[in-house]
Amino acid sequence: YKSDVLLNDDNRMLYIELFMHLADVSNPLKPFKICQAWAMLVLDEFFAQGDEEKQRGIPVGMLNDREKINRPNSQIGFIEFLVSPLMIATASLFPALQPLSQQLFSNAERWKLVWVEGAQPE
């Protein structure tokens, strides 16, 4: 069944769209040091937008409020609800991508540790 699906020319555009979307959300598939650095930059950008929204008196986007968002938890949610389902499905069709799934799960665990470490009172 898989070979019929994978070799079907009618699915070519679907694969292109799948890999474009996966590339768009691929940060958690990278080694943790890179993943963490980029996640912080993206969150800084979101928070700058939220600051601008507050200054203009318009509703602040859900992920843009630096006073309400827990950085590590935002990444755990991103992985669990968006990236993981997509990666699991993609790796089932393309088993060579399985190492990316392992990196994703490793990063989710690392984000949980960062969250716990940040929650420890001094």
Side-chain angles (χ1 to χ4, degrees):
Y1 169 76
K2 261 190 200 178
S3 64
D4 292 341
V5 171
L6 294 176
L7 297 176
N8 183 334
D9 282 342
D10 294 337
N11 293 330
R12 187 176 315 239
M13 191 52 134
L14 181 63
Y15 300 145
I16 291 170
E17 291 171 358
L18 168 68
F19 285 112
M20 288 296 293
H21 184 57
L22 191 61
D24 186 42
V25 298
S26 68
N27 188 52
L29 306 176
K30 298 173 180 154
F32 187 73
K33 187 174 181 179
I34 296 168
C35 169
Q36 185 179 36
W38 277 104
M40 295 302 105
L41 291 170
V42 168
L43 287 169
D44 287 343
E45 184 178 330
F46 288 174
F47 295 158
Q49 179 176 330
D51 295 344
E52 183 73 21
E53 291 165 343
K54 285 180 186 178
Q55 184 179 13
R56 293 176 182 255
I58 60 176
V60 177
M62 183 172 67
L63 297 174
N64 297 352
D65 194 336
R66 69 176 71 244
E67 296 170 14
K68 295 181 180 178
I69 298 297
N70 175 291
R71 287 176 180 248
N73 190 41
S74 73
Q75 297 309 295
I76 294 165
F78 180 58
I79 290 170
E80 288 182 351
F81 297 108
L82 188 85
V83 184
S84 185
L86 178 64
M87 189 62 229
I88 290 169
T90 303
S92 73
L93 283 172
F94 301 95
L97 299 179
Q98 192 60 38
L100 294 177
S101 294
Q102 295 306 317
Q103 184 65 56
L104 176 68
F105 299 136
S106 173
N107 285 348
E109 291 303 313
R110 294 281 303 271
W111 280 118
K112 289 175 186 175
L113 291 174
V114 171
W115 185 16
V116 168
E117 289 168 4
Q120 298 296 323
E122 294 185 24

